[in-house]
Amino acid sequence: MENKTQELQDQLLEALSQLIDPELRCDIVSLGLVYRLAIDENGHVTVKLTLNTMGCRLH
């Protein structure tokens, strides 16, 4: 079970690495903006991340 969870986490990080910061033109995983990725027993995913600037439109 733990191997499956790790495999899923790796797949999710790979997917998140496709999200490019439009100002820095680098993905959010490489920038270190993703702090934590958790999958609970029901398969729900929680991603803890930060935004790169206070003026970010998503902030």
Side-chain angles (χ1 to χ4, degrees):
M1 179 81 162
E2 190 171 314
N3 287 339
K4 243 183 165 89
T5 300
Q6 183 60 49
E7 184 179 324
L8 183 54
Q9 285 182 336
D10 292 344
Q11 291 173 349
L12 289 167
L13 282 174
E14 177 65 30
L16 288 171
S17 72
Q18 302 302 308
L19 297 173
I20 306 298
D21 182 288
E23 293 175 349
L24 300 175
R25 302 194 194 291
C26 189
D27 70 88
I28 65 170
V29 175
S30 294
L31 287 170
L33 301 178
V34 177
Y35 288 100
R36 183 171 174 253
L37 186 92
I39 305 167
D40 71 14
E41 62 277 353
N42 295 318
H44 297 119
V45 176
T46 302
V47 179
K48 183 176 180 182
L49 58 95
T50 188
L51 301 174
N52 59 350
T53 64
M54 291 293 287
C56 181
R57 290 175 275 169
L58 298 176
H59 201 277

